[in-house]
Amino acid sequence: MRLRNITGSRERIAQSSYVVQEPHKWRGRWRELFQNRNAIRIEIGMGKGKFLHTLAAENPDINYIGIEKYSSVLLRAIQKMEEEELPNLRFIRMDAEELTEVFGEGEVDRIYLNFSDPWPKDRHAKRRLPSRQFLERYDKVLKPEGRLEFKTDNRALFDFAMDELPEAGWKAEAVTYDLHHENEMLSGNIMTEYEEKFSAIGNPICKYIIYR
Ligand code: SAM
């Protein structure tokens, strides 16, 4: 997702207390930032943040961190926090490639990827968030019993993501190719902005939950 560049968005993000300004400094110490020992769950490529904001409001005993590359998009998530402030939700503006520099070994309890950019050209496969290169990064920051959840309506990207699992040493705990008609996996589902848009036009939503 890239929104029109919004003048001053970088400056507003730099001043926002909802955005962790120097995330590398918190590596291994994120619980100090939240001032509790609750589990930390992250969404990578959060977009405007609806999914994570809803989750954080429903689960005050879990800490959530949304990671987003673009300032103009992150600004929307900040605006939502200004309307309804949540102590257990914070944001980082960065490229997910830096993940292991920002989170220590096993520091994260769960990772969410929602409607990740497909990067359709083969030569860009390693930029796809469910690629083996990214799974290797997730392996480092996710605690041993942690889980990663991925949703998309892009069947080609989902097939790619499934093929990457054995290559990277991950296993599927649950898989569906039509989440909205799979009652067990749908239970407790929180729709993302993209999920609302694409399910409304009839696209089936694929989802996996994986572990290693
Ligand atoms: N997750 C949201 C949803 O489901 O509505 C947004 C989906 S949007 C298609 C993908 C988002 O991921 C965009 O906002 C994009 O900027 C962000 N993104 C893509 N690659 C990223 C990366 N390497 N690091 C951080 N954010 C990334």
Side-chain angles (χ1 to χ4, degrees), residues 1 43 45 68-70 95-96 114-115 117 192-194:
M1 185 190 299
E43 184 184 8
E68 171 53 50
K69 190 159 60 166
Y70 291 113
D95 193 307
N114 290 314
F115 295 80
D117 294 339
T192 78
E193 272 104 358
Y194 271 63

Side-chain angles (χ1 to χ4, degrees), residues 23-31 40 42 65 67 92 94 98-111 136-144 212:
H24 303 78
K25 288 194 175 166
W26 292 97
R27 189 176 187 278
R29 307 195 290 124
W30 282 96
R31 286 188 170 148
I40 294 170
I42 65 175
I65 300 174
I67 297 170
I92 302 175
M94 71 171 192
E98 293 176 53
L99 201 67
T100 56
E101 294 151 46
V102 166
F103 294 98
E105 209 175 299
E107 207 172 8
V108 173
D109 168 78
R110 190 167 286 242
I111 297 174
E136 213 172 287
R137 295 181 178 108
Y138 307 147
D139 181 42
K140 292 193 174 116
V141 303
L142 192 65
K143 65 182 189 185
R212 74 282 193 232

Side-chain angles (χ1 to χ4, degrees), residues 1-2 43-51 67-70 73-74 92-97 113-119 127 129 134 151 191-196 198:
M1 185 190 299
R2 283 191 84 165
E43 184 184 8
I44 302 176
M46 163 193 69
K48 298 179 194 168
K50 173 183 177 282
F51 171 82
I67 297 170
E68 171 53 50
K69 190 159 60 166
Y70 291 113
V73 188
L74 179 51
I92 302 175
R93 192 189 64 74
M94 71 171 192
D95 193 307
E97 284 186 10
L113 306 177
N114 290 314
F115 295 80
S116 308
D117 294 339
W119 292 105
R127 296 186 192 172
L129 292 180
F134 272 102
K151 289 195 278 191
M191 298 253 261
T192 78
E193 272 104 358
Y194 271 63
E195 187 171 354
E196 280 179 349
F198 291 120

Side-chain angles (χ1 to χ4, degrees), residues 13 16 47 88 93 115 134 144-145 161 168 170 181 192 197-198 202:
I13 283 164
S16 173
N88 59 328
R93 192 189 64 74
F115 295 80
F134 272 102
E145 65 276 27
W170 291 67
H181 294 99
T192 78
K197 194 162 99 181
F198 291 120

Side-chain angles (χ1 to χ4, degrees), residues 30-199:
W30 282 96
R31 286 188 170 148
E32 288 176 38
L33 181 125
F34 287 105
Q35 297 184 347
N36 60 46
R37 300 195 56 75
N38 297 342
I40 294 170
R41 301 186 171 184
I42 65 175
E43 184 184 8
I44 302 176
M46 163 193 69
K48 298 179 194 168
K50 173 183 177 282
F51 171 82
L52 219 52
H53 200 280
T54 311
L55 262 185
E58 284 182 3
N59 300 286
D61 294 338
I62 298 173
N63 299 318
Y64 294 91
I65 300 174
I67 297 170
E68 171 53 50
K69 190 159 60 166
Y70 291 113
S71 306
S72 53
V73 188
L74 179 51
L75 201 54
R76 302 294 180 91
I78 291 171
Q79 285 162 348
K80 214 180 302 245
M81 275 283 263
E82 285 164 355
E83 287 160 23
E84 187 193 353
E85 193 174 315
L86 298 172
N88 59 328
L89 176 60
R90 289 293 176 267
F91 307 121
I92 302 175
R93 192 189 64 74
M94 71 171 192
D95 193 307
E97 284 186 10
E98 293 176 53
L99 201 67
T100 56
E101 294 151 46
V102 166
F103 294 98
E105 209 175 299
E107 207 172 8
V108 173
D109 168 78
R110 190 167 286 242
I111 297 174
Y112 299 101
L113 306 177
N114 290 314
F115 295 80
S116 308
D117 294 339
W119 292 105
K121 290 186 180 139
D122 283 349
R123 67 190 158 88
H124 290 148
K126 65 174 188 289
R127 296 186 192 172
R128 298 173 192 153
L129 292 180
S131 67
R132 67 192 72 180
Q133 289 82 0
F134 272 102
L135 288 172
E136 213 172 287
R137 295 181 178 108
Y138 307 147
D139 181 42
K140 292 193 174 116
V141 303
L142 192 65
K143 65 182 189 185
E145 65 276 27
R147 296 289 186 270
L148 184 152
E149 300 190 11
F150 170 49
K151 289 195 278 191
T152 183
D153 69 319
N154 186 316
R155 182 60 192 265
L157 179 65
F158 193 70
D159 288 344
F160 165 83
M162 288 294 290
D163 288 345
E164 290 294 83
L165 298 182
E167 300 295 335
W170 291 67
K171 297 177 207 83
E173 182 177 73
V175 181
T176 176
Y177 291 86
D178 193 0
L179 175 65
H180 291 192
H181 294 99
E182 184 92 42
N183 285 343
E184 209 171 305
M185 282 183 83
L186 188 61
S187 159
N189 184 53
I190 291 169
M191 298 253 261
T192 78
E193 272 104 358
Y194 271 63
E195 187 171 354
E196 280 179 349
K197 194 162 99 181
F198 291 120
S199 59

